[in-house]
mmCIF file of all heavy atoms in Angstrom:
data_model
loop_
_atom_site.group_PDB
_atom_site.id
_atom_site.type_symbol
_atom_site.label_atom_id
_atom_site.label_comp_id
_atom_site.label_asym_id
_atom_site.label_seq_id
_atom_site.Cartn_x
_atom_site.Cartn_y
_atom_site.Cartn_z
ATOM 1 N N LYS A 1 0.781 -1.153 -0.046
ATOM 2 C CA LYS A 1 0.033 0.058 0.003
ATOM 3 C C LYS A 1 0.789 1.282 -0.038
ATOM 4 O O LYS A 1 1.891 1.258 0.784
ATOM 5 C CB LYS A 1 -0.809 -0.040 1.256
ATOM 6 C CG LYS A 1 -1.872 -1.149 1.235
ATOM 7 C CD LYS A 1 -2.775 -1.015 2.533
ATOM 8 C CE LYS A 1 -3.714 -2.181 2.648
ATOM 9 N NZ LYS A 1 -4.542 -2.151 3.821
ATOM 10 N N SER A 2 0.533 2.254 -0.860
ATOM 11 C CA SER A 2 1.330 3.378 -0.922
ATOM 12 C C SER A 2 0.482 4.614 -1.231
ATOM 13 O O SER A 2 -0.432 4.526 -2.029
ATOM 14 C CB SER A 2 2.442 3.233 -2.078
ATOM 15 O OG SER A 2 3.139 4.488 -2.112
ATOM 16 N N VAL A 3 0.700 5.730 -0.542
ATOM 17 C CA VAL A 3 0.005 7.010 -0.865
ATOM 18 C C VAL A 3 1.113 7.979 -1.286
ATOM 19 O O VAL A 3 2.183 8.117 -0.668
ATOM 20 C CB VAL A 3 -0.644 7.569 0.497
ATOM 21 C CG1 VAL A 3 -1.266 8.980 0.127
ATOM 22 C CG2 VAL A 3 -1.591 6.594 0.936
ATOM 23 N N SER A 4 0.935 8.602 -2.382
ATOM 24 C CA SER A 4 1.860 9.521 -3.082
ATOM 25 C C SER A 4 3.191 8.861 -3.268
ATOM 26 O O SER A 4 4.195 9.362 -2.887
ATOM 27 C CB SER A 4 2.032 10.723 -2.211
ATOM 28 O OG SER A 4 0.837 11.417 -2.026
ATOM 29 N N GLY A 5 3.136 7.596 -3.808
ATOM 30 C CA GLY A 5 4.364 6.903 -4.139
ATOM 31 C C GLY A 5 4.115 5.686 -4.989
ATOM 32 O O GLY A 5 3.049 5.309 -5.249
ATOM 33 N N ASP A 6 5.175 5.338 -5.723
ATOM 34 C CA ASP A 6 5.109 4.138 -6.725
ATOM 35 C C ASP A 6 5.357 2.867 -6.031
ATOM 36 O O ASP A 6 6.037 2.799 -4.960
ATOM 37 C CB ASP A 6 6.145 4.413 -7.800
ATOM 38 C CG ASP A 6 5.973 5.701 -8.566
ATOM 39 O OD1 ASP A 6 4.878 6.105 -8.651
ATOM 40 O OD2 ASP A 6 6.938 6.242 -9.019
ATOM 41 N N ILE A 7 4.839 1.779 -6.605
ATOM 42 C CA ILE A 7 5.057 0.404 -6.156
ATOM 43 C C ILE A 7 5.714 -0.377 -7.342
ATOM 44 O O ILE A 7 5.166 -0.430 -8.411
ATOM 45 C CB ILE A 7 3.771 -0.309 -5.679
ATOM 46 C CG1 ILE A 7 3.181 0.432 -4.508
ATOM 47 C CG2 ILE A 7 4.022 -1.733 -5.330
ATOM 48 C CD1 ILE A 7 1.895 -0.078 -4.044
ATOM 49 N N SER A 8 6.884 -0.950 -7.009
ATOM 50 C CA SER A 8 7.548 -1.903 -7.989
ATOM 51 C C SER A 8 7.922 -3.131 -7.443
ATOM 52 O O SER A 8 8.849 -3.102 -6.540
ATOM 53 C CB SER A 8 8.804 -1.059 -8.522
ATOM 54 O OG SER A 8 9.418 -1.869 -9.553
ATOM 55 N N LEU A 9 7.372 -4.353 -7.865
ATOM 56 C CA LEU A 9 7.705 -5.595 -7.501
ATOM 57 C C LEU A 9 8.420 -6.261 -8.722
ATOM 58 O O LEU A 9 7.673 -6.517 -9.767
ATOM 59 C CB LEU A 9 6.541 -6.332 -7.069
ATOM 60 C CG LEU A 9 5.630 -5.728 -5.957
ATOM 61 C CD1 LEU A 9 4.504 -6.569 -5.530
ATOM 62 C CD2 LEU A 9 6.435 -5.355 -4.730
ATOM 63 N N HIS A 10 9.594 -6.519 -8.661
ATOM 64 C CA HIS A 10 10.407 -6.938 -9.896
ATOM 65 C C HIS A 10 10.180 -8.310 -10.324
ATOM 66 O O HIS A 10 10.247 -8.607 -11.528
ATOM 67 C CB HIS A 10 11.862 -6.607 -9.572
ATOM 68 C CG HIS A 10 12.223 -5.200 -9.361
ATOM 69 N ND1 HIS A 10 12.180 -4.289 -10.362
ATOM 70 C CD2 HIS A 10 12.520 -4.540 -8.163
ATOM 71 C CE1 HIS A 10 12.577 -3.124 -9.822
ATOM 72 N NE2 HIS A 10 12.668 -3.217 -8.527
ATOM 73 N N SER A 11 9.896 -9.232 -9.372
ATOM 74 C CA SER A 11 9.781 -10.700 -9.814
ATOM 75 C C SER A 11 8.865 -11.419 -8.706
ATOM 76 O O SER A 11 9.329 -11.689 -7.674
ATOM 77 C CB SER A 11 11.118 -11.312 -9.899
ATOM 78 O OG SER A 11 10.943 -12.685 -10.427
ATOM 79 N N VAL A 12 7.679 -11.721 -9.133
ATOM 80 C CA VAL A 12 6.708 -12.468 -8.353
ATOM 81 C C VAL A 12 6.411 -13.877 -9.106
ATOM 82 O O VAL A 12 6.197 -13.825 -10.251
ATOM 83 C CB VAL A 12 5.404 -11.687 -8.080
ATOM 84 C CG1 VAL A 12 4.360 -12.485 -7.238
ATOM 85 C CG2 VAL A 12 5.703 -10.292 -7.484
ATOM 86 N N ARG A 13 6.517 -14.917 -8.277
ATOM 87 C CA ARG A 13 6.478 -16.166 -8.889
ATOM 88 C C ARG A 13 5.164 -16.830 -8.822
ATOM 89 O O ARG A 13 4.507 -17.556 -9.520
ATOM 90 C CB ARG A 13 7.558 -17.149 -8.386
ATOM 91 C CG ARG A 13 7.459 -18.506 -9.012
ATOM 92 C CD ARG A 13 8.783 -19.312 -8.753
ATOM 93 N NE ARG A 13 9.897 -18.587 -9.431
ATOM 94 C CZ ARG A 13 10.311 -18.777 -10.704
ATOM 95 N NH1 ARG A 13 9.508 -19.519 -11.491
ATOM 96 N NH2 ARG A 13 11.293 -18.204 -11.298
ATOM 97 N N ALA A 14 4.468 -16.763 -7.549
ATOM 98 C CA ALA A 14 3.264 -17.458 -7.180
ATOM 99 C C ALA A 14 2.574 -16.722 -6.017
ATOM 100 O O ALA A 14 3.125 -15.725 -5.542
ATOM 101 C CB ALA A 14 3.554 -18.914 -6.838
ATOM 102 N N GLY A 15 1.384 -17.309 -5.698
ATOM 103 C CA GLY A 15 0.671 -16.643 -4.570
ATOM 104 C C GLY A 15 -0.204 -15.425 -4.969
ATOM 105 O O GLY A 15 -0.358 -15.173 -6.077
ATOM 106 N N SER A 16 -0.624 -14.807 -3.884
ATOM 107 C CA SER A 16 -1.515 -13.649 -4.125
ATOM 108 C C SER A 16 -0.870 -12.343 -4.007
ATOM 109 O O SER A 16 0.000 -12.254 -3.061
ATOM 110 C CB SER A 16 -2.617 -13.675 -3.032
ATOM 111 O OG SER A 16 -3.491 -12.442 -3.147
ATOM 112 N N THR A 17 -0.885 -11.432 -4.967
ATOM 113 C CA THR A 17 -0.226 -10.140 -4.889
ATOM 114 C C THR A 17 -1.376 -9.083 -4.900
ATOM 115 O O THR A 17 -2.086 -9.005 -5.903
ATOM 116 C CB THR A 17 0.712 -9.928 -6.080
ATOM 117 O OG1 THR A 17 1.724 -10.978 -5.970
ATOM 118 C CG2 THR A 17 1.337 -8.587 -6.096
ATOM 119 N N SER A 18 -1.392 -8.233 -3.861
ATOM 120 C CA SER A 18 -2.443 -7.171 -3.871
ATOM 121 C C SER A 18 -1.665 -5.844 -3.662
ATOM 122 O O SER A 18 -0.680 -5.720 -3.083
ATOM 123 C CB SER A 18 -3.405 -7.377 -2.786
ATOM 124 O OG SER A 18 -2.724 -7.263 -1.584
ATOM 125 N N PHE A 19 -2.323 -4.793 -4.358
ATOM 126 C CA PHE A 19 -1.708 -3.499 -4.152
ATOM 127 C C PHE A 19 -2.744 -2.385 -4.139
ATOM 128 O O PHE A 19 -3.902 -2.620 -4.687
ATOM 129 C CB PHE A 19 -0.771 -3.154 -5.360
ATOM 130 C CG PHE A 19 -1.504 -3.092 -6.696
ATOM 131 C CD1 PHE A 19 -2.086 -1.992 -7.169
ATOM 132 C CD2 PHE A 19 -1.434 -4.318 -7.508
ATOM 133 C CE1 PHE A 19 -2.764 -1.966 -8.341
ATOM 134 C CE2 PHE A 19 -2.123 -4.246 -8.678
ATOM 135 C CZ PHE A 19 -2.730 -3.117 -9.226
ATOM 136 N N THR A 20 -2.560 -1.324 -3.477
ATOM 137 C CA THR A 20 -3.260 -0.071 -3.442
ATOM 138 C C THR A 20 -2.322 1.064 -3.475
ATOM 139 O O THR A 20 -1.424 1.183 -2.603
ATOM 140 C CB THR A 20 -4.089 -0.061 -2.134
ATOM 141 O OG1 THR A 20 -4.937 -1.177 -2.093
ATOM 142 C CG2 THR A 20 -5.042 1.161 -2.198
ATOM 143 N N SER A 21 -2.664 1.968 -4.452
ATOM 144 C CA SER A 21 -1.806 3.184 -4.541
ATOM 145 C C SER A 21 -2.581 4.429 -4.890
ATOM 146 O O SER A 21 -3.503 4.344 -5.655
ATOM 147 C CB SER A 21 -0.646 2.985 -5.534
ATOM 148 O OG SER A 21 0.099 4.139 -5.755
ATOM 149 N N VAL A 22 -2.295 5.516 -4.265
ATOM 150 C CA VAL A 22 -2.948 6.739 -4.599
ATOM 151 C C VAL A 22 -1.770 7.685 -4.966
ATOM 152 O O VAL A 22 -0.789 7.917 -4.322
ATOM 153 C CB VAL A 22 -3.560 7.436 -3.298
ATOM 154 C CG1 VAL A 22 -4.218 8.805 -3.576
ATOM 155 C CG2 VAL A 22 -4.698 6.511 -2.792
ATOM 156 N N SER A 23 -1.955 8.177 -6.250
ATOM 157 C CA SER A 23 -0.970 9.153 -6.834
ATOM 158 C C SER A 23 0.350 8.338 -6.989
ATOM 159 O O SER A 23 1.366 8.914 -6.649
ATOM 160 C CB SER A 23 -0.828 10.404 -5.996
ATOM 161 O OG SER A 23 -2.067 11.108 -5.889
ATOM 162 N N GLY A 24 0.286 7.226 -7.553
ATOM 163 C CA GLY A 24 1.442 6.528 -7.823
ATOM 164 C C GLY A 24 1.237 5.366 -8.920
ATOM 165 O O GLY A 24 0.157 4.973 -9.140
ATOM 166 N N ASP A 25 2.394 5.037 -9.531
ATOM 167 C CA ASP A 25 2.323 3.982 -10.567
ATOM 168 C C ASP A 25 2.656 2.593 -10.061
ATOM 169 O O ASP A 25 3.359 2.593 -8.987
ATOM 170 C CB ASP A 25 3.326 4.288 -11.656
ATOM 171 C CG ASP A 25 2.981 5.554 -12.532
ATOM 172 O OD1 ASP A 25 1.761 5.934 -12.596
ATOM 173 O OD2 ASP A 25 3.947 6.228 -13.024
ATOM 174 N N ILE A 26 2.095 1.632 -10.649
ATOM 175 C CA ILE A 26 2.307 0.218 -10.123
ATOM 176 C C ILE A 26 3.026 -0.563 -11.329
ATOM 177 O O ILE A 26 2.635 -0.520 -12.470
ATOM 178 C CB ILE A 26 0.974 -0.524 -9.908
ATOM 179 C CG1 ILE A 26 0.119 0.311 -8.834
ATOM 180 C CG2 ILE A 26 1.249 -1.896 -9.358
ATOM 181 C CD1 ILE A 26 0.690 0.479 -7.513
ATOM 182 N N GLU A 27 4.178 -1.269 -10.898
ATOM 183 C CA GLU A 27 4.822 -2.209 -11.867
ATOM 184 C C GLU A 27 5.031 -3.502 -11.247
ATOM 185 O O GLU A 27 5.612 -3.516 -10.089
ATOM 186 C CB GLU A 27 6.194 -1.590 -12.335
ATOM 187 C CG GLU A 27 6.087 -0.317 -13.135
ATOM 188 C CD GLU A 27 7.353 -0.041 -13.848
ATOM 189 O OE1 GLU A 27 8.417 -0.428 -13.242
ATOM 190 O OE2 GLU A 27 7.390 0.680 -14.889
ATOM 191 N N ILE A 28 4.461 -4.606 -11.808
ATOM 192 C CA ILE A 28 4.557 -5.771 -11.255
ATOM 193 C C ILE A 28 5.213 -6.718 -12.277
ATOM 194 O O ILE A 28 4.778 -6.961 -13.386
ATOM 195 C CB ILE A 28 3.182 -6.442 -10.949
ATOM 196 C CG1 ILE A 28 2.404 -5.541 -10.038
ATOM 197 C CG2 ILE A 28 3.352 -7.795 -10.233
ATOM 198 C CD1 ILE A 28 2.934 -5.341 -8.660
ATOM 199 N N GLY A 29 6.366 -7.457 -11.905
ATOM 200 C CA GLY A 29 6.962 -8.344 -12.744
ATOM 201 C C GLY A 29 6.610 -9.859 -12.479
ATOM 202 O O GLY A 29 6.648 -10.204 -11.283
ATOM 203 N N ILE A 30 6.212 -10.611 -13.411
ATOM 204 C CA ILE A 30 5.804 -11.883 -13.296
ATOM 205 C C ILE A 30 7.032 -12.791 -13.725
ATOM 206 O O ILE A 30 7.437 -12.679 -14.965
ATOM 207 C CB ILE A 30 4.551 -12.274 -14.110
ATOM 208 C CG1 ILE A 30 3.362 -11.345 -13.752
ATOM 209 C CG2 ILE A 30 4.127 -13.732 -13.730
ATOM 210 C CD1 ILE A 30 3.101 -11.247 -12.257
ATOM 211 N N ALA A 31 7.381 -13.741 -12.988
ATOM 212 C CA ALA A 31 8.566 -14.560 -13.199
ATOM 213 C C ALA A 31 8.257 -15.506 -14.480
ATOM 214 O O ALA A 31 7.144 -15.880 -14.702
ATOM 215 C CB ALA A 31 8.921 -15.396 -11.978
ATOM 216 N N GLN A 32 9.407 -15.774 -15.064
ATOM 217 C CA GLN A 32 9.310 -16.706 -16.222
ATOM 218 C C GLN A 32 8.607 -18.030 -15.720
ATOM 219 O O GLN A 32 9.029 -18.600 -14.788
ATOM 220 C CB GLN A 32 10.687 -16.933 -16.855
ATOM 221 C CG GLN A 32 11.349 -15.824 -17.480
ATOM 222 C CD GLN A 32 10.655 -15.519 -18.770
ATOM 223 O OE1 GLN A 32 9.988 -16.340 -19.410
ATOM 224 N NE2 GLN A 32 10.886 -14.295 -19.349
ATOM 225 N N GLY A 33 7.681 -18.595 -16.511
ATOM 226 C CA GLY A 33 7.148 -19.831 -16.204
ATOM 227 C C GLY A 33 5.799 -19.751 -15.377
ATOM 228 O O GLY A 33 5.119 -20.681 -15.130
ATOM 229 N N SER A 34 5.503 -18.485 -14.932
ATOM 230 C CA SER A 34 4.335 -18.283 -14.102
ATOM 231 C C SER A 34 3.228 -17.636 -14.973
ATOM 232 O O SER A 34 3.498 -16.889 -15.907
ATOM 233 C CB SER A 34 4.574 -17.361 -12.868
ATOM 234 O OG SER A 34 5.544 -17.969 -12.030
ATOM 235 N N PHE A 35 1.980 -17.913 -14.699
ATOM 236 C CA PHE A 35 0.813 -17.392 -15.374
ATOM 237 C C PHE A 35 0.088 -16.382 -14.487
ATOM 238 O O PHE A 35 0.464 -16.153 -13.325
ATOM 239 C CB PHE A 35 -0.122 -18.504 -15.706
ATOM 240 C CG PHE A 35 0.606 -19.545 -16.574
ATOM 241 C CD1 PHE A 35 1.018 -20.714 -16.128
ATOM 242 C CD2 PHE A 35 0.780 -19.267 -17.982
ATOM 243 C CE1 PHE A 35 1.580 -21.589 -16.950
ATOM 244 C CE2 PHE A 35 1.390 -20.106 -18.802
ATOM 245 C CZ PHE A 35 1.884 -21.393 -18.291
ATOM 246 N N LEU A 36 -0.864 -15.722 -15.030
ATOM 247 C CA LEU A 36 -1.463 -14.525 -14.457
ATOM 248 C C LEU A 36 -3.054 -14.621 -14.325
ATOM 249 O O LEU A 36 -3.624 -14.895 -15.343
ATOM 250 C CB LEU A 36 -1.050 -13.309 -15.080
ATOM 251 C CG LEU A 36 -1.531 -11.943 -14.525
ATOM 252 C CD1 LEU A 36 -0.976 -11.662 -13.214
ATOM 253 C CD2 LEU A 36 -1.159 -10.783 -15.572
ATOM 254 N N ASP A 37 -3.550 -14.394 -13.098
ATOM 255 C CA ASP A 37 -4.970 -14.124 -12.920
ATOM 256 C C ASP A 37 -5.096 -12.741 -12.338
ATOM 257 O O ASP A 37 -4.662 -12.503 -11.192
ATOM 258 C CB ASP A 37 -5.545 -15.208 -11.932
ATOM 259 C CG ASP A 37 -7.047 -15.085 -11.681
ATOM 260 O OD1 ASP A 37 -7.527 -14.092 -12.190
ATOM 261 O OD2 ASP A 37 -7.595 -15.931 -11.027
ATOM 262 N N VAL A 38 -5.644 -11.832 -13.086
ATOM 263 C CA VAL A 38 -5.615 -10.442 -12.685
ATOM 264 C C VAL A 38 -6.958 -9.843 -12.671
ATOM 265 O O VAL A 38 -7.823 -10.074 -13.434
ATOM 266 C CB VAL A 38 -4.664 -9.710 -13.702
ATOM 267 C CG1 VAL A 38 -5.231 -9.686 -15.016
ATOM 268 C CG2 VAL A 38 -4.512 -8.125 -13.175
ATOM 269 N N ASP A 39 -7.160 -9.000 -11.561
ATOM 270 C CA ASP A 39 -8.307 -8.075 -11.512
ATOM 271 C C ASP A 39 -7.831 -6.813 -10.850
ATOM 272 O O ASP A 39 -7.841 -6.608 -9.724
ATOM 273 C CB ASP A 39 -9.374 -8.805 -10.597
ATOM 274 C CG ASP A 39 -10.662 -7.860 -10.429
ATOM 275 O OD1 ASP A 39 -10.630 -6.895 -11.235
ATOM 276 O OD2 ASP A 39 -11.427 -8.230 -9.608
ATOM 277 N N ALA A 40 -7.446 -5.893 -11.747
ATOM 278 C CA ALA A 40 -6.818 -4.574 -11.406
ATOM 279 C C ALA A 40 -7.357 -3.532 -12.166
ATOM 280 O O ALA A 40 -7.765 -3.693 -13.328
ATOM 281 C CB ALA A 40 -5.274 -4.696 -11.569
#
């Protein structure tokens, strides 16, 4: 969670990833071999 800031996760492989940001950009890296189920 971030207010007035960016969130950058460079490599996520599995599990649940959640984010909330106000006045900031989000970058999520998905590791090679992993698939994506997204609602953002």
Side-chain angles (χ1 to χ4, degrees):
K1 297 180 181 180
S2 177
V3 178
S4 299
D6 299 332
I7 296 173
S8 180
L9 308 181
H10 299 284
S11 182
V12 180
R13 179 167 297 278
S16 175
T17 297
S18 64
F19 63 85
T20 302
S21 176
V22 178
S23 300
D25 295 332
I26 308 293
E27 289 191 340
I28 308 291
I30 307 300
Q32 294 287 344
S34 296
F35 300 101
L36 181 64
D37 180 353
V38 62
D39 182 9

